[in-house]
Amino acid sequence: MLDYRRFKEINDLFASGQPEKARRLLMEMQSRCIALRDEMSMLKVRLQTFEDILYLSQNLYEEYGFYWLRTAGIKQGPFCPHCYESEGALIRLEKQHKSLLCPYCSTSYKGAVRVMTETAEPLAGRQARILPFAK
């Protein structure tokens, strides 16, 4: 943590005619400040990652052998169980004839279109999206 008393010390060094000592001390303070800002940025990213994991753990569920995500009261999915279980990726399945197809791993779930019509909104015109969550 920064010691703010050092700023007074730097000011006193400048006032007493010791600018080199003051500059060295100021550069040291600057280095510490930069290191703290870097650490703070890293911690913010880690916190966001943990918040995303918590959100996912509270809103992702399995139904009919597929994964679904509840967001703002809307049921999103189904997502490919193979991709989620092997890589932690949520890949939305696409409707193809009488089956669902994963655009990422190409796994086909035959006869699964029934799941779509019973449980989710239609997928017409939507593209698959990769959501970067880890299990």
Side-chain angles (χ1 to χ4, degrees):
M1 179 148 247
L2 286 177
D3 184 3
Y4 293 101
R5 289 175 287 173
R6 309 273 332 244
F7 287 112
K8 178 162 177 21
E9 185 180 336
I10 291 168
N11 190 41
D12 292 345
L13 286 170
F14 273 122
S16 68
Q18 300 177 41
E20 283 307 311
K21 265 187 165 178
R23 278 194 194 99
R24 256 195 322 271
L25 199 53
L26 195 54
M27 286 172 46
E28 182 184 315
M29 294 289 290
Q30 183 181 26
S31 254
R32 285 185 192 172
C33 183
I34 290 170
L36 286 172
R37 298 286 297 199
D38 288 346
E39 182 181 5
M40 207 163 71
S41 294
M42 181 197 63
L43 290 172
K44 283 181 181 180
V45 168
R46 287 181 66 192
L47 177 64
Q48 184 61 51
T49 301
F50 288 133
E51 286 175 347
D52 290 345
I53 290 169
L54 179 62
Y55 177 82
L56 188 62
S57 71
Q58 292 172 340
N59 292 291
L60 186 71
Y61 60 98
E62 188 177 357
E63 187 176 90
Y64 300 112
F66 298 102
Y67 287 98
W68 301 83
L69 184 63
R70 196 175 301 109
T71 56
I74 298 171
K75 188 176 183 179
Q76 302 283 332
F79 297 101
C80 179
H82 177 263
C83 289
Y84 181 70
E85 291 165 3
S86 64
E87 298 182 31
L90 289 179
I91 311 296
R92 188 184 300 274
L93 296 172
E94 294 179 344
K95 185 177 176 183
Q96 295 234 323
H97 304 291
K98 294 187 177 191
S99 65
L100 294 174
L101 178 70
C102 176
Y104 184 74
C105 70
S106 300
T107 303
S108 179
Y109 300 94
K110 298 197 184 325
V113 173
R114 175 185 58 80
V115 172
M116 293 299 300
T117 57
E118 292 175 3
T119 60
E121 71 277 0
L123 288 179
R126 291 200 289 190
Q127 296 295 316
R129 285 184 283 159
I130 297 174
L131 302 176
F133 292 111
K135 190 171 184 179

Coordinates of all heavy atoms in Angstrom, one line a residue, residues 52-121:
D52 N -19.2 -14.5 -12.9 CA -19.7 -15.2 -14.1 C -19.9 -16.7 -13.7 O -20.9 -17.3 -14.1 CB -18.8 -15.1 -15.3 CG -18.8 -13.7 -15.9 OD1 -19.7 -12.9 -15.5 OD2 -17.8 -13.4 -16.6
I53 N -19.0 -17.3 -13.0 CA -19.1 -18.7 -12.6 C -20.3 -18.9 -11.7 O -21.0 -19.8 -11.8 CB -17.8 -19.2 -12.0 CG1 -16.7 -19.3 -13.1 CG2 -18.0 -20.5 -11.3 CD1 -15.3 -19.5 -12.5
L54 N -20.4 -18.0 -10.7 CA -21.5 -18.0 -9.8 C -22.9 -17.9 -10.5 O -23.8 -18.7 -10.3 CB -21.4 -16.9 -8.7 CG -22.5 -16.9 -7.7 CD1 -22.6 -18.2 -6.9 CD2 -22.3 -15.7 -6.8
Y55 N -22.9 -17.0 -11.5 CA -24.2 -16.8 -12.2 C -24.5 -18.0 -13.0 O -25.6 -18.5 -13.0 CB -24.0 -15.6 -13.2 CG -25.2 -15.4 -14.1 CD1 -26.3 -14.7 -13.6 CD2 -25.2 -15.9 -15.4 CE1 -27.4 -14.5 -14.4 CE2 -26.4 -15.7 -16.2 CZ -27.4 -15.0 -15.7 OH -28.5 -14.9 -16.5
L56 N -23.5 -18.6 -13.6 CA -23.7 -19.8 -14.4 C -24.1 -21.0 -13.5 O -25.1 -21.7 -13.9 CB -22.4 -20.2 -15.2 CG -22.5 -21.3 -16.1 CD1 -23.4 -21.0 -17.3 CD2 -21.1 -21.7 -16.7
S57 N -23.5 -21.1 -12.4 CA -23.9 -22.2 -11.5 C -25.3 -22.1 -11.0 O -26.0 -23.1 -10.7 CB -22.9 -22.3 -10.3 OG -23.1 -21.3 -9.4
Q58 N -25.8 -20.9 -10.9 CA -27.2 -20.6 -10.4 C -28.2 -20.7 -11.5 O -29.4 -20.9 -11.2 CB -27.3 -19.3 -9.7 CG -26.5 -19.2 -8.4 CD -26.5 -17.7 -7.9 OE1 -26.7 -16.8 -8.6 NE2 -26.2 -17.6 -6.6
N59 N -27.8 -20.5 -12.7 CA -28.8 -20.4 -13.8 C -28.7 -21.5 -14.9 O -29.5 -21.5 -15.8 CB -28.7 -19.0 -14.5 CG -29.2 -18.0 -13.5 OD1 -30.3 -17.9 -13.2 ND2 -28.2 -17.2 -13.0
L60 N -27.7 -22.3 -14.8 CA -27.5 -23.4 -15.8 C -28.1 -24.7 -15.2 O -27.9 -25.0 -14.1 CB -26.1 -23.6 -16.2 CG -25.8 -24.6 -17.3 CD1 -26.2 -24.0 -18.6 CD2 -24.3 -25.0 -17.3
Y61 N -28.9 -25.3 -16.0 CA -29.5 -26.6 -15.5 C -29.7 -27.6 -16.7 O -29.6 -27.2 -17.9 CB -30.9 -26.4 -14.8 CG -31.9 -25.7 -15.7 CD1 -32.9 -26.5 -16.4 CD2 -31.9 -24.4 -16.0 CE1 -33.8 -26.0 -17.2 CE2 -32.9 -23.8 -16.8 CZ -33.8 -24.6 -17.4 OH -34.8 -24.0 -18.2
E62 N -29.8 -28.8 -16.4 CA -30.0 -29.9 -17.4 C -31.4 -30.3 -17.4 O -32.1 -30.5 -16.4 CB -29.1 -31.1 -17.0 CG -29.0 -32.1 -18.1 CD -28.0 -33.2 -17.7 OE1 -27.4 -33.2 -16.7 OE2 -28.0 -34.2 -18.5
E63 N -31.9 -30.5 -18.6 CA -33.3 -31.0 -18.8 C -33.3 -31.7 -20.1 O -32.8 -31.3 -21.1 CB -34.2 -29.8 -18.8 CG -35.7 -30.1 -18.8 CD -36.6 -28.9 -18.8 OE1 -36.9 -28.3 -19.8 OE2 -36.9 -28.5 -17.7
Y64 N -34.0 -32.9 -20.1 CA -34.1 -33.8 -21.3 C -32.7 -34.1 -21.9 O -32.5 -34.3 -23.1 CB -34.9 -33.1 -22.4 CG -36.3 -32.8 -22.0 CD1 -36.8 -31.5 -21.8 CD2 -37.2 -33.8 -21.7 CE1 -38.1 -31.2 -21.4 CE2 -38.5 -33.6 -21.3 CZ -38.9 -32.3 -21.2 OH -40.2 -32.0 -20.8
G65 N -31.6 -34.1 -21.1 CA -30.3 -34.5 -21.5 C -29.5 -33.3 -22.2 O -28.4 -33.5 -22.6
F66 N -30.1 -32.1 -22.2 CA -29.5 -30.9 -22.7 C -29.3 -29.9 -21.6 O -30.0 -29.9 -20.6 CB -30.3 -30.3 -23.9 CG -30.5 -31.2 -25.0 CD1 -31.7 -31.9 -25.2 CD2 -29.5 -31.4 -25.9 CE1 -31.8 -32.8 -26.3 CE2 -29.6 -32.3 -27.0 CZ -30.8 -33.0 -27.2
Y67 N -28.4 -28.9 -21.9 CA -28.2 -27.9 -20.9 C -29.0 -26.6 -21.4 O -29.1 -26.3 -22.5 CB -26.7 -27.5 -20.8 CG -25.9 -28.6 -20.0 CD1 -25.2 -29.6 -20.7 CD2 -26.0 -28.6 -18.6 CE1 -24.6 -30.6 -20.0 CE2 -25.3 -29.6 -17.9 CZ -24.6 -30.6 -18.6 OH -24.0 -31.6 -17.9
W68 N -29.5 -25.9 -20.4 CA -30.3 -24.7 -20.6 C -29.8 -23.7 -19.7 O -29.3 -23.9 -18.6 CB -31.8 -25.0 -20.3 CG -32.4 -26.1 -21.1 CD1 -32.3 -27.5 -20.9 CD2 -33.1 -26.0 -22.4 NE1 -32.9 -28.2 -21.9 CE2 -33.4 -27.3 -22.8 CE3 -33.5 -24.9 -23.1 CZ2 -34.1 -27.5 -24.0 CZ3 -34.2 -25.1 -24.3 CH2 -34.5 -26.4 -24.7
L69 N -29.9 -22.4 -20.1 CA -29.5 -21.3 -19.3 C -30.7 -20.3 -19.1 O -31.3 -19.9 -20.1 CB -28.4 -20.5 -20.0 CG -27.7 -19.4 -19.2 CD1 -27.1 -19.9 -18.0 CD2 -26.7 -18.7 -20.1
R70 N -31.0 -20.0 -17.9 CA -32.1 -19.1 -17.5 C -31.5 -17.7 -17.4 O -30.6 -17.4 -16.6 CB -32.7 -19.5 -16.2 CG -34.0 -18.9 -15.9 CD -34.7 -19.4 -14.6 NE -34.8 -20.9 -14.7 CZ -34.1 -21.8 -13.9 NH1 -33.2 -21.4 -13.1 NH2 -34.4 -23.1 -14.0
T71 N -31.9 -16.8 -18.3 CA -31.4 -15.4 -18.3 C -32.6 -14.5 -18.4 O -33.4 -14.5 -19.3 CB -30.4 -15.1 -19.5 OG1 -31.1 -15.4 -20.7 CG2 -29.2 -15.9 -19.4
A72 N -32.7 -13.6 -17.4 CA -33.8 -12.6 -17.3 C -35.2 -13.3 -17.5 O -36.0 -12.8 -18.2 CB -33.6 -11.5 -18.3
G73 N -35.3 -14.5 -17.0 CA -36.6 -15.2 -17.0 C -36.9 -15.9 -18.3 O -37.9 -16.5 -18.6
I74 N -35.9 -15.9 -19.2 CA -36.0 -16.5 -20.5 C -35.2 -17.8 -20.5 O -34.0 -17.7 -20.1 CB -35.6 -15.6 -21.7 CG1 -36.5 -14.3 -21.7 CG2 -35.7 -16.3 -23.0 CD1 -36.0 -13.3 -22.6
K75 N -35.7 -18.8 -21.1 CA -35.0 -20.1 -21.2 C -34.2 -20.1 -22.4 O -34.8 -20.1 -23.5 CB -36.0 -21.2 -21.1 CG -35.5 -22.6 -21.0 CD -36.6 -23.6 -20.9 CE -36.1 -25.0 -20.7 NZ -37.2 -25.9 -20.6
Q76 N -32.9 -20.1 -22.3 CA -32.0 -20.1 -23.5 C -31.5 -21.6 -23.7 O -31.1 -22.2 -22.7 CB -30.8 -19.2 -23.2 CG -31.1 -17.8 -22.9 CD -31.5 -17.0 -24.2 OE1 -31.1 -17.3 -25.3 NE2 -32.4 -16.0 -24.0
G77 N -31.4 -22.0 -24.9 CA -30.8 -23.3 -25.2 C -31.6 -24.0 -26.3 O -32.4 -23.4 -26.9
P78 N -31.4 -25.3 -26.4 CA -30.5 -26.1 -25.6 C -29.1 -25.9 -26.1 O -28.8 -25.6 -27.2 CB -31.0 -27.5 -26.0 CG -31.6 -27.4 -27.3 CD -32.2 -26.0 -27.4
F79 N -28.2 -26.3 -25.2 CA -26.7 -26.2 -25.4 C -26.2 -27.6 -25.5 O -26.7 -28.5 -24.9 CB -26.0 -25.4 -24.4 CG -26.5 -24.0 -24.3 CD1 -27.4 -23.5 -23.3 CD2 -26.0 -23.0 -25.2 CE1 -27.8 -22.2 -23.3 CE2 -26.4 -21.7 -25.2 CZ -27.3 -21.3 -24.2
C80 N -25.1 -27.8 -26.3 CA -24.6 -29.1 -26.6 C -24.0 -29.7 -25.3 O -23.1 -29.1 -24.7 CB -23.5 -29.0 -27.6 SG -22.6 -30.5 -28.0
P81 N -24.5 -30.8 -24.8 CA -24.0 -31.5 -23.6 C -22.5 -31.9 -23.8 O -21.7 -31.9 -22.9 CB -24.9 -32.7 -23.4 CG -25.8 -32.7 -24.5 CD -25.6 -31.6 -25.4
H82 N -22.2 -32.4 -25.0 CA -20.8 -32.9 -25.2 C -19.8 -31.7 -25.1 O -18.8 -31.9 -24.4 CB -20.7 -33.5 -26.6 CG -19.3 -33.9 -27.0 ND1 -18.4 -33.1 -27.7 CD2 -18.6 -35.0 -26.6 CE1 -17.3 -33.7 -27.8 NE2 -17.4 -34.9 -27.2
C83 N -20.1 -30.6 -25.7 CA -19.2 -29.4 -25.6 C -19.1 -28.9 -24.2 O -18.0 -28.6 -23.7 CB -19.6 -28.3 -26.5 SG -19.4 -28.7 -28.3
Y84 N -20.2 -28.9 -23.5 CA -20.1 -28.3 -22.1 C -19.4 -29.3 -21.2 O -18.5 -28.8 -20.4 CB -21.6 -28.1 -21.5 CG -21.5 -27.6 -20.1 CD1 -21.1 -26.3 -19.9 CD2 -21.9 -28.3 -19.1 CE1 -21.0 -25.7 -18.6 CE2 -21.8 -27.8 -17.8 CZ -21.4 -26.5 -17.6 OH -21.3 -26.0 -16.3
E85 N -19.6 -30.6 -21.3 CA -19.0 -31.5 -20.4 C -17.5 -31.7 -20.7 O -16.7 -32.0 -19.8 CB -19.8 -32.9 -20.4 CG -21.1 -32.7 -19.8 CD -22.1 -33.9 -20.1 OE1 -21.7 -34.8 -20.8 OE2 -23.2 -33.8 -19.6
S86 N -17.1 -31.6 -22.0 CA -15.7 -31.8 -22.3 C -14.9 -30.5 -22.3 O -13.7 -30.6 -21.9 CB -15.6 -32.4 -23.7 OG -16.1 -31.6 -24.7
E87 N -15.5 -29.4 -22.6 CA -14.7 -28.1 -22.7 C -15.2 -27.0 -21.9 O -14.6 -25.9 -21.8 CB -14.6 -27.7 -24.2 CG -13.9 -28.7 -25.1 CD -13.7 -28.2 -26.5 OE1 -13.7 -27.0 -26.7 OE2 -13.7 -29.0 -27.4
G88 N -16.4 -27.2 -21.3 CA -17.0 -26.1 -20.5 C -17.6 -25.0 -21.4 O -17.9 -23.9 -20.9
A89 N -17.8 -25.3 -22.7 CA -18.4 -24.3 -23.6 C -19.8 -24.5 -23.8 O -20.3 -25.6 -23.9 CB -17.6 -24.4 -24.9
L90 N -20.6 -23.4 -23.8 CA -22.0 -23.4 -24.1 C -22.2 -23.1 -25.5 O -22.1 -22.0 -26.0 CB -22.8 -22.4 -23.2 CG -22.9 -22.7 -21.7 CD1 -23.6 -21.6 -21.0 CD2 -23.5 -24.1 -21.5
I91 N -22.5 -24.1 -26.3 CA -22.7 -24.0 -27.8 C -24.2 -24.3 -28.0 O -24.7 -25.4 -27.8 CB -21.8 -25.0 -28.6 CG1 -20.4 -24.9 -28.1 CG2 -22.0 -24.7 -30.1 CD1 -19.7 -23.6 -28.3
R92 N -24.9 -23.3 -28.6 CA -26.3 -23.5 -28.9 C -26.5 -24.5 -30.0 O -25.8 -24.4 -31.0 CB -27.0 -22.2 -29.2 CG -28.5 -22.3 -29.3 CD -29.1 -21.0 -29.7 NE -28.9 -19.9 -28.8 CZ -29.6 -19.6 -27.7 NH1 -30.6 -20.4 -27.4 NH2 -29.3 -18.6 -27.0
L93 N -27.4 -25.4 -29.8 CA -27.6 -26.4 -30.9 C -28.5 -25.8 -32.0 O -29.4 -25.0 -31.7 CB -28.3 -27.6 -30.3 CG -27.5 -28.4 -29.3 CD1 -28.3 -29.5 -28.6 CD2 -26.3 -29.0 -30.0
E94 N -28.3 -26.2 -33.2 CA -29.1 -25.7 -34.3 C -30.0 -26.8 -34.8 O -29.7 -28.0 -34.8 CB -28.1 -25.3 -35.5 CG -27.3 -24.2 -35.2 CD -26.3 -23.8 -36.3 OE1 -26.2 -24.7 -37.3 OE2 -25.8 -22.7 -36.3
K95 N -31.2 -26.3 -35.2 CA -32.2 -27.3 -35.7 C -31.9 -27.6 -37.2 O -31.6 -26.8 -38.0 CB -33.6 -26.6 -35.7 CG -34.7 -27.4 -36.1 CD -36.0 -26.6 -35.9 CE -37.2 -27.4 -36.4 NZ -38.4 -26.6 -36.3
Q96 N -31.8 -29.0 -37.4 CA -31.5 -29.5 -38.8 C -32.4 -30.6 -39.0 O -32.2 -31.7 -38.5 CB -30.0 -29.9 -38.9 CG -29.1 -28.8 -38.7 CD -28.1 -28.7 -39.9 OE1 -27.7 -29.8 -40.4 NE2 -27.8 -27.5 -40.3
H97 N -33.4 -30.5 -39.9 CA -34.4 -31.5 -40.2 C -35.1 -32.0 -39.0 O -35.7 -31.2 -38.3 CB -33.8 -32.6 -41.1 CG -33.1 -32.1 -42.3 ND1 -33.8 -31.6 -43.4 CD2 -31.8 -32.0 -42.6 CE1 -33.0 -31.2 -44.3 NE2 -31.7 -31.5 -43.9
K98 N -34.9 -33.2 -38.6 CA -35.5 -33.8 -37.4 C -34.5 -34.0 -36.3 O -34.7 -34.9 -35.5 CB -36.3 -35.1 -37.8 CG -37.4 -34.9 -38.7 CD -38.2 -36.1 -38.9 CE -39.4 -35.8 -39.7 NZ -40.4 -36.9 -39.8
S99 N -33.4 -33.3 -36.3 CA -32.4 -33.4 -35.3 C -31.8 -32.1 -34.9 O -32.1 -31.1 -35.5 CB -31.3 -34.4 -35.8 OG -30.6 -33.8 -36.9
L100 N -31.0 -32.1 -33.8 CA -30.3 -30.9 -33.4 C -28.8 -31.2 -33.7 O -28.3 -32.3 -33.4 CB -30.5 -30.6 -31.9 CG -32.0 -30.3 -31.5 CD1 -32.1 -30.2 -30.0 CD2 -32.4 -28.9 -32.2
L101 N -28.1 -30.2 -34.2 CA -26.7 -30.3 -34.6 C -25.9 -29.3 -33.8 O -26.3 -28.1 -33.8 CB -26.6 -30.2 -36.1 CG -25.1 -30.3 -36.6 CD1 -24.6 -31.7 -36.5 CD2 -25.1 -29.8 -38.0
C102 N -24.8 -29.7 -33.3 CA -23.8 -28.7 -32.7 C -22.9 -28.2 -33.8 O -22.2 -29.0 -34.4 CB -23.0 -29.4 -31.6 SG -21.8 -28.3 -30.9
P103 N -22.9 -26.9 -34.0 CA -22.1 -26.3 -35.0 C -20.6 -26.4 -34.7 O -19.7 -26.2 -35.6 CB -22.5 -24.9 -35.2 CG -23.2 -24.6 -33.8 CD -23.7 -25.9 -33.3
Y104 N -20.2 -26.6 -33.5 CA -18.8 -26.7 -33.0 C -18.2 -28.1 -33.1 O -17.2 -28.3 -33.8 CB -18.7 -26.1 -31.6 CG -17.3 -26.0 -31.1 CD1 -16.5 -25.0 -31.6 CD2 -16.8 -26.9 -30.2 CE1 -15.2 -24.9 -31.1 CE2 -15.5 -26.9 -29.7 CZ -14.7 -25.9 -30.2 OH -13.4 -25.8 -29.7
C105 N -18.9 -29.1 -32.5 CA -18.3 -30.4 -32.5 C -19.0 -31.3 -33.5 O -18.6 -32.5 -33.6 CB -18.4 -31.0 -31.1 SG -20.1 -31.4 -30.5
S106 N -20.0 -30.9 -34.2 CA -20.8 -31.6 -35.2 C -21.5 -32.8 -34.6 O -21.9 -33.7 -35.4 CB -19.9 -32.0 -36.3 OG -19.3 -30.9 -36.9
T107 N -21.8 -32.9 -33.3 CA -22.6 -33.9 -32.8 C -24.0 -33.7 -33.1 O -24.5 -32.6 -33.0 CB -22.4 -34.0 -31.2 OG1 -21.0 -34.1 -30.9 CG2 -23.2 -35.1 -30.6
S108 N -24.7 -34.8 -33.6 CA -26.1 -34.7 -34.0 C -26.9 -35.4 -33.0 O -26.6 -36.5 -32.5 CB -26.2 -35.4 -35.4 OG -27.6 -35.3 -35.7
Y109 N -28.0 -34.8 -32.6 CA -28.9 -35.4 -31.6 C -30.2 -35.7 -32.4 O -31.1 -34.8 -32.6 CB -29.2 -34.5 -30.4 CG -27.9 -34.2 -29.7 CD1 -27.1 -33.0 -30.0 CD2 -27.4 -35.0 -28.7 CE1 -25.9 -32.8 -29.3 CE2 -26.2 -34.8 -28.1 CZ -25.5 -33.7 -28.4 OH -24.3 -33.4 -27.7
K110 N -30.4 -36.9 -32.9 CA -31.5 -37.3 -33.7 C -32.8 -37.3 -32.9 O -32.8 -37.8 -31.8 CB -31.2 -38.6 -34.4 CG -30.0 -38.5 -35.3 CD -30.0 -39.7 -36.3 CE -28.8 -39.7 -37.2 NZ -28.2 -38.4 -37.6
G111 N -33.9 -36.9 -33.5 CA -35.2 -36.9 -32.8 C -35.3 -35.9 -31.7 O -36.3 -35.9 -31.0
A112 N -34.3 -35.0 -31.6 CA -34.4 -34.1 -30.4 C -35.1 -32.8 -30.8 O -35.3 -32.0 -29.9 CB -32.9 -33.7 -30.0
V113 N -35.6 -32.6 -32.0 CA -36.4 -31.4 -32.3 C -37.6 -31.3 -31.4 O -38.1 -30.2 -31.1 CB -36.7 -31.4 -33.8 CG1 -37.6 -30.3 -34.2 CG2 -35.4 -31.3 -34.6
R114 N -38.1 -32.4 -31.0 CA -39.3 -32.5 -30.1 C -39.0 -31.7 -28.9 O -39.8 -30.9 -28.4 CB -39.7 -33.9 -29.8 CG -40.8 -34.1 -28.8 CD -41.0 -35.5 -28.4 NE -39.8 -36.1 -27.9 CZ -39.4 -36.0 -26.6 NH1 -40.0 -35.3 -25.7 NH2 -38.3 -36.6 -26.2
V115 N -37.8 -31.8 -28.4 CA -37.4 -31.0 -27.2 C -37.5 -29.5 -27.4 O -37.9 -28.8 -26.6 CB -35.9 -31.4 -26.8 CG1 -35.4 -30.5 -25.7 CG2 -35.8 -32.8 -26.4
M116 N -37.1 -29.1 -28.6 CA -37.2 -27.7 -29.0 C -38.6 -27.2 -29.0 O -38.9 -26.1 -28.5 CB -36.5 -27.5 -30.4 CG -35.1 -27.7 -30.4 SD -34.2 -26.6 -29.3 CE -34.6 -25.1 -29.9
T117 N -39.5 -27.9 -29.6 CA -40.8 -27.5 -29.8 C -41.6 -27.5 -28.4 O -42.5 -26.7 -28.2 CB -41.6 -28.3 -30.8 OG1 -41.6 -29.7 -30.4 CG2 -41.0 -28.2 -32.2
E118 N -41.2 -28.4 -27.5 CA -41.9 -28.4 -26.2 C -41.3 -27.5 -25.2 O -42.1 -27.0 -24.3 CB -41.7 -29.9 -25.6 CG -42.4 -30.9 -26.4 CD -42.1 -32.3 -25.8 OE1 -41.4 -32.4 -24.8 OE2 -42.6 -33.3 -26.4
T119 N -40.1 -27.1 -25.3 CA -39.4 -26.4 -24.2 C -38.9 -25.0 -24.5 O -38.6 -24.2 -23.6 CB -38.3 -27.2 -23.6 OG1 -37.3 -27.5 -24.6 CG2 -38.8 -28.5 -23.0
A120 N -38.6 -24.7 -25.7 CA -37.9 -23.4 -26.0 C -38.6 -22.7 -27.1 O -39.4 -23.2 -27.9 CB -36.5 -23.7 -26.4
E121 N -38.2 -21.4 -27.3 CA -38.7 -20.6 -28.4 C -38.1 -21.1 -29.7 O -37.0 -21.6 -29.6 CB -38.4 -19.1 -28.1 CG -37.0 -18.7 -28.2 CD -36.2 -19.0 -26.9 OE1 -36.7 -19.5 -25.9 OE2 -35.0 -18.7 -26.9

